[in-house]
Amino acid sequence: MAAPVRTLCCTVLRHSSRCFTTTCGSQAGIKWRTENGLARSGTEYGPMTDLPDWSFADGRPAPPLKGQLRRKQERETLARRVVNLSSEVDKGMEVWREKQEEAKRMQERNKSLLLKPKGNLLLKKYK
């Protein structure tokens, strides 16, 4: 049953006047916007996205929209995650630094526990 349907679809597409493509569509201007330090699309961030659409006649701001609240929450979550990861990196660097200092102290301690030269060897060392 699947084979006749497949051949039917293929013949319909071959004889169709419309173009059929399987490639991914791309938005116009992505390359230019990214090269100029802007968002990939005009709706990711910026004044058209972040500022309110309207305000009251007496100057009061409009209540935030659902999308604005969602984006604000996403930014706060991302900021918290960045701070958390940064503090983890700082703690890891501190632990690594302490391990390095401990290894250096152990190396110097082992060096001080080695036998010391005596007699003629000691005199030759200071000449």
Side-chain angles (χ1 to χ4, degrees), residues 20-31:
F20 182 74
T21 181
T22 58
T23 60
C24 177
S26 64
Q27 295 178 346
I30 290 178
K31 183 179 177 186

Side-chain angles (χ1 to χ4, degrees), residues 85-99:
L85 292 175
S86 178
S87 65
E88 285 182 17
V89 167
D90 291 341
K91 288 177 188 175
M93 290 298 291
E94 187 63 34
V95 168
W96 176 80
R97 206 172 288 118
E98 289 173 0
K99 283 183 181 180

